[in-house]
Amino acid sequence: MNNGQIREILTGAEKSRSGLVPESAVKEIFHNFGIPVVSERSGASPGEAATAARLTGFPVVLKGTGATTLHKTDMGLVRLGLTSEQEVEKEATEMIASHPGVVDSFI
């Protein structure tokens, strides 16, 4: 990733509806500069999140994400120490139910 690509990501965020840089893009920029980041997998549904968690290995942290989810912890969109696919799927389903129209994927 070069400076032009980083500038493009930041400019895209400025032009977006939310004005936010996606967490995945920030982590890619950090990685490019040698700043350690935690590996992650994503899923678009509770079932996909559960599969991603299994592939990552338990325990996991589950975060609900969406275009307006800047402060996930403050919004109640972070679950720590999940130890099974069933637990991940249940928590992801609850996030969707408690934040309709906000959560559109999980990391």
Side-chain angles (χ1 to χ4, degrees), residues 13-28:
E14 287 175 354
K15 293 178 181 178
S16 74
R17 181 177 57 120
S18 68
L20 305 176
V21 177
E23 183 174 344
S24 59
V26 172
K27 287 183 177 182
E28 186 177 346

Side-chain angles (χ1 to χ4, degrees), residues 70-90:
L70 180 60
H71 299 289
K72 294 170 200 63
T73 303
D74 293 346
M75 295 176 73
L77 297 175
V78 177
R79 303 293 191 279
L80 305 174
L82 305 181
T83 59
S84 71
E85 286 183 74
Q86 295 78 16
E87 192 174 10
V88 169
E89 191 162 358
K90 174 184 169 282

Side-chain angles (χ1 to χ4, degrees), residues 21-83:
V21 177
E23 183 174 344
S24 59
V26 172
K27 287 183 177 182
E28 186 177 346
I29 292 168
F30 284 1
H31 178 75
N32 186 63
F33 285 98
I35 300 169
V37 295
V38 175
S39 64
E40 65 182 36
R41 289 186 166 85
S42 62
S45 68
E48 287 181 15
T51 299
R54 178 179 45 80
L55 294 171
T56 300
F58 295 102
V60 298
V61 172
L62 177 69
K63 296 179 184 180
T65 63
T68 60
T69 57
L70 180 60
H71 299 289
K72 294 170 200 63
T73 303
D74 293 346
M75 295 176 73
L77 297 175
V78 177
R79 303 293 191 279
L80 305 174
L82 305 181
T83 59

